[in-house]
Amino acid sequence: MKRFMQWVLRLVVAFIGILLISGLPILINGFQKGEFWWREYGEHLLVLFPLKHFLDTYYSSYIGEYIFYSLEVLFLALFVAVVFALSFTVITMLFKERARQRIKTIFFFLESLPDILVILLIQLLVIIVHRHTGVFMRIASTGGEKIYLLPVFCLMILPMVQLYRLSMLTFEAEERKLYVELARSLGFNKVIILFIHIFRNAIISIFFQSKKTMWFMLSNLFILERMFNMPGIMFHLSEHLSGELFLITVCSFFIPVFIVYSFFEWYFLRRTSRGGAIL
């Protein structure tokens, strides 16, 4: 119960912070005119009350569709990025040190590419493939339709490379620990040590490090929705910027991400405190 109350307190404090920040454009507009719009700022902070009136006024059905579409793309990209990063990490760990360094160099080079350049190159590649093969793939949304393949692929590339780098550092750190040497001395196969021992311990560290990757993906999602003309909440926010819409947008991302990461954090800590296996 104590941990649950701490979780609720963290959620409430974070929400209050988002609410306070959402009203800053009002103060900035006032400062630009040499005035202090504290009254307007206070009225904005009370915009949530009553809650039903706020939802009826600002949260319409199409806003919900925009939010759900953006969350779909975001979590699909994160899932694909995690799966590919862990898969490439496991494969790389099976190689010898020299081959392992070459593979890491390729991935580290990809990490240095700007996200906009990656999106443009993929769109250009799709056009080239279509001209030579006739295979058609949508590179932008038209008429409000939803596209998933290219946006998810573009959004997951750089996060996947980041997670791969973090995973390699974690896996290699685990590989140098004494329990791995003990397992080798007992005659365990390299694959068994990697999957049963190293992977189980490394996944916890990778999970906590992936929080930064999630927020990095949010910044890329804004660029992605603009370049693919996607009917998502980020694109809608850029077209109709307001304190109320900013509040809805940030909360629509923060609350699901906060709940998901809080659950897995509770799960991992609970399993490790009992000395059990993670998976």
Side-chain angles (χ1 to χ4, degrees):
M1 181 59 68
K2 182 180 179 181
R3 289 184 178 180
F4 177 75
M5 294 305 298
Q6 291 176 345
W7 179 83
V8 173
L9 180 62
R10 289 165 54 194
L11 181 61
V12 171
V13 170
F15 175 76
I16 293 175
I18 295 172
L19 178 60
L20 295 174
I21 294 173
S22 67
L24 287 181
I26 298 175
L27 294 179
I28 295 174
N29 289 334
F31 292 154
Q32 290 177 345
K33 298 180 180 180
E35 301 175 357
F36 295 96
W37 289 1
W38 297 112
R39 181 178 178 181
E40 291 79 0
Y41 181 73
E43 291 175 352
H44 168 76
L45 298 182
L46 297 175
V47 72
L48 286 174
F49 307 100
L51 183 60
K52 185 178 184 304
H53 179 265
F54 173 79
L55 294 176
D56 291 339
T57 304
Y58 299 104
Y59 192 89
S60 56
S61 59
Y62 70 90
I63 292 292
E65 293 178 3
Y66 292 158
I67 293 173
F68 187 71
Y69 178 46
S70 295
L71 288 175
E72 279 183 318
V73 174
L74 178 67
F75 280 102
L76 277 173
L78 178 63
F79 176 77
V80 175
V82 170
V83 171
F84 274 86
L86 292 176
S87 300
F88 287 134
T89 300
V90 171
I91 294 173
T92 305
M93 291 295 295
L94 294 176
F95 285 94
K96 294 182 179 180
E97 185 63 29
R98 179 176 296 181
R100 188 185 299 180
Q101 290 298 327
R102 293 175 180 173
I103 297 174
K104 289 194 296 184
T105 301
I106 296 175
F107 277 92
F108 295 164
F109 169 75
L110 292 176
E111 189 177 11
S112 64
L113 297 177
D115 44 10
I116 297 179
L117 177 62
V118 171
I119 296 173
L120 289 174
L121 288 176
I122 292 175
Q123 290 180 330
L124 180 61
L125 179 63
V126 170
I127 295 173
I128 294 175
V129 171
H130 174 67
R131 291 185 60 182
H132 288 81
T133 65
V135 177
F136 177 74
M137 187 179 299
R138 295 188 183 277
I139 61 174
S141 176
T142 56
E145 61 183 350
K146 297 178 180 179
I147 56 175
Y148 290 94
L149 183 59
L150 278 181
V152 169
F153 182 72
C154 292
L155 187 59
M156 76 91 183
I157 290 179
L158 293 182
M160 182 266 293
V161 176
Q162 288 184 356
L163 288 173
Y164 170 82
R165 176 175 56 83
L166 295 172
S167 300
M168 284 300 303
L169 292 174
T170 306
F171 272 68
E172 290 178 335
E174 290 291 329
E175 189 181 35
R176 293 189 292 267
K177 292 186 177 180
L178 293 178
Y179 74 89
V180 175
E181 297 295 332
L182 177 61
R184 288 172 178 169
S185 65
L186 293 175
F188 284 98
N189 185 273
K190 184 176 182 179
V191 177
I192 295 177
I193 295 174
L194 182 61
F195 279 97
I196 302 300
H197 299 284
I198 296 179
F199 186 89
R200 185 180 65 184
N201 294 321
I203 195 66
I204 305 175
S205 177
I206 295 170
F207 164 76
F208 286 104
Q209 293 170 343
S210 67
K211 293 182 181 180
K212 298 178 181 178
T213 303
M214 169 60 78
W215 299 121
F216 170 76
M217 293 177 68
L218 283 175
S219 64
N220 284 348
L221 182 62
F222 175 79
I223 300 173
L224 195 75
E225 291 188 3
R226 294 292 301 181
M227 297 189 67
F228 281 95
N229 196 37
M230 297 164 56
I233 190 60
M234 291 290 196
F235 183 86
H236 185 71
L237 176 63
S238 65
E239 294 290 321
H240 307 87
L241 184 60
S242 67
E244 292 77 15
L245 186 57
F246 175 83
L247 177 63
I248 292 175
T249 302
V250 175
C251 288
S252 66
F253 286 108
F254 171 76
I255 294 177
V257 171
F258 183 81
I259 292 174
V260 169
Y261 272 89
S262 296
F263 171 77
F264 282 104
E265 181 179 348
W266 166 82
Y267 174 77
F268 286 146
L269 294 177
R270 179 170 173 267
R271 297 292 294 180
T272 54
S273 63
R274 293 185 178 184
I278 298 302
L279 301 175

